[in-house]
Amino acid sequence: MVWNLVRRDLRGRYKGSLLGFLWNFILPLMQILVYIMVFTVVFRQNIEHYYVYIIVGMVPWTMFNDAVLSSSGSIIENSQLVSKIYFPRTVIPLSMVISKFINFLISMGIALLILAVGGHGFDGWALASLPVAVFCLFVFSLGLSLLLAAADVT
């Protein structure tokens, strides 16, 4: 059931748009390129490679923000499904967080590719700790989403 809800969310997000699922790649790429242009050309900072810090912070924050905002009202938005059949209610916020997490993985891949093309090397320890940080982000987003989804119902 979780997988079907995730697919429904991923398909429904860009249904009817010209590029469809390609927006999952185009949107983060354009956001990252805009940030690079803004912080290297318009707002020059005294910090070398400032856009790297922006990209590395923006991608996880966007996932966390999208996951918590979309899943906090997800049970009420799916009230017709909740009232018709019995299933664990945690499935709905879980599917929303997984959907946002899939978009996050795509965005993170694009960000890592841009950083690699930009000549920014990766430290071995940083790459080794990346899965742990991503897992912690997922668990924290899921926990807060479940809490807020339950609080929104009451």
Side-chain angles (χ1 to χ4, degrees), residues 15-143:
K15 187 176 184 177
S17 67
L18 182 64
L19 296 176
F21 193 72
L22 286 175
W23 279 113
N24 286 330
F25 297 99
I26 295 170
L27 186 63
L29 179 63
M30 290 298 124
Q31 285 179 332
I32 290 170
L33 292 177
V34 165
Y35 277 111
I36 289 173
M37 289 299 295
V38 166
F39 288 104
T40 56
V41 176
V42 179
F43 298 115
R44 295 185 182 190
Q45 300 293 327
N46 292 335
I47 302 170
E48 188 176 348
H49 305 296
Y50 185 70
Y51 69 92
V52 173
Y53 298 108
I54 296 294
I55 292 170
V56 170
M58 179 196 68
V59 172
W61 170 253
T62 303
M63 180 270 179
F64 174 75
N65 185 37
D66 289 346
V68 171
L69 285 178
S70 65
S71 63
S72 63
S74 62
I75 294 177
I76 291 175
E77 290 171 5
N78 291 299
S79 61
Q80 73 283 358
L81 183 64
V82 170
S83 62
K84 289 184 181 177
I85 60 173
Y86 176 76
F87 61 93
R89 304 306 187 242
T90 58
V91 167
I92 296 172
L94 173 65
S95 68
M96 298 299 282
V97 172
I98 291 173
S99 170
K100 303 306 178 192
F101 187 70
I102 290 171
N103 288 335
F104 164 74
L105 292 177
I106 293 169
S107 298
M108 190 61 128
I110 292 170
L112 290 175
L113 182 67
I114 287 176
L115 293 177
V117 168
H120 303 285
F122 299 108
D123 185 9
W125 286 106
L127 282 178
S129 64
L130 185 62
V132 175
V134 167
F135 177 74
C136 289
L137 175 67
F138 177 78
V139 170
F140 182 66
S141 299
L142 178 62

Side-chain angles (χ1 to χ4, degrees), residues 1-13:
M1 181 164 191
V2 173
W3 178 245
N4 287 332
L5 288 172
V6 168
R7 280 192 353 201
R8 180 187 76 168
D9 184 52
L10 288 174
R11 285 184 183 169
R13 186 173 182 185

